[in-house]
Amino acid sequence: MAERRDDAERLPREFYARDSRVVARDLLGRVIRTVGPEGVTAGRVLETEAYRPTDSCSHSSRGRTARTATMFGPPGGLYVYFIYGMHHCMNLVCEGDGAAVLIRALEPVEGIELMRERRGPKASDGKLCSGPGSLCRALGVDRSWDGTDVVTSGRISVHAGRPPDDDDVLVGPRIGVVGRAEDVALEWRWRERAAPARRVR
């Protein structure tokens, strides 16, 4: 049987087995794809944030708990948590106990009609995946996905995509974090300067 093109382009475990700050930058332009009973959705990564266990803003800074166990697992795990009683957020586990990258924004590239259904009539196309909670809802990801291996799973995967040049990447402080002042000030957020218009399907 011929190998599927998207399987051939799936990022290997070695990609995640690096410093979370390196992975956060390198995830820009990659494509996250989910497959479920309702259909397929996918988005190109536009914004990320890095977290490390020595960082007081990270969930892992207090050690392993039932909630954060996935963060202490192998690189390539999907850490999903629920926040403010209304939003799910997805992170990709990296090298080092408790290191991960939060996915903050995507550009929809596949399954936009399904994303619209999941997000509701008030969400404009430009806002379908703009924010950690919005993108999880659009992709159909919730807390039940926590612990999924994106390297081997059939329902979520990350693909090569088109990473931007360094000139097209902006770096700055993370958004809405709480911790020591020196950690809050860390410039561990990466985002693409401007995403070109793309046809969605």
Side-chain angles (χ1 to χ4, degrees):
M1 180 180 294
E3 187 177 41
R4 281 172 39 188
R5 183 171 177 268
D6 57 352
D7 286 340
E9 295 179 350
R10 180 184 286 218
L11 298 179
R13 197 169 308 283
E14 291 75 22
F15 177 90
Y16 309 98
R18 299 178 292 165
D19 187 300
S20 60
R21 294 164 294 186
V22 176
V23 177
R25 163 60 184 88
D26 208 8
L27 276 168
L28 294 181
R30 311 299 183 169
V31 175
I32 297 177
R33 186 173 188 264
T34 61
V35 181
E38 300 170 292
V40 176
T41 52
R44 183 173 174 272
V45 179
L46 298 180
E47 186 174 350
T48 61
E49 290 180 348
Y51 290 86
R52 293 165 56 81
T54 54
D55 162 27
S56 64
C57 302
S58 175
H59 291 177
S60 63
S61 63
R62 297 179 182 177
R64 184 184 182 122
T65 66
R67 181 196 195 196
T68 64
T70 299
M71 294 185 77
F72 294 84
L78 186 70
Y79 169 50
V80 182
Y81 62 87
F82 194 53
I83 192 171
Y84 305 138
M86 62 176 69
H87 298 303
H88 289 94
C89 298
M90 61 184 289
N91 303 255
L92 294 167
V93 177
C94 302
E95 180 182 45
D97 285 346
V101 174
L102 171 68
I103 308 301
R104 284 201 55 86
L106 301 174
E107 174 194 2
V109 295
E110 186 174 3
I112 191 169
E113 291 296 337
L114 179 53
M115 289 184 181
R116 288 185 185 127
E117 291 175 14
R118 289 170 172 166
R119 291 281 283 111
K122 293 183 179 180
S124 65
D125 286 359
K127 299 291 185 180
L128 286 177
C129 298
S130 62
S134 296
L135 69 88
C136 278
R137 200 171 300 116
L139 295 179
V141 173
D142 59 24
R143 178 69 176 158
S144 69
W145 292 56
D146 181 60
T148 304
D149 187 342
V150 303
V151 178
T152 61
S153 173
R155 63 177 182 168
I156 184 167
S157 52
V158 185
H159 302 271
R162 295 178 300 278
D165 295 331
D166 286 342
D167 290 344
D168 294 324
V169 175
L170 300 176
V171 183
R174 295 169 294 186
I175 296 174
V177 293
V178 177
R180 296 185 299 261
E182 59 269 29
D183 292 334
V184 171
L186 291 170
E187 296 194 337
W188 287 3
R189 178 168 62 101
W190 288 261
R191 63 186 178 93
E192 190 167 337
R193 186 185 300 275
R198 300 182 191 280
R199 181 177 64 85
V200 294
R201 59 185 187 278

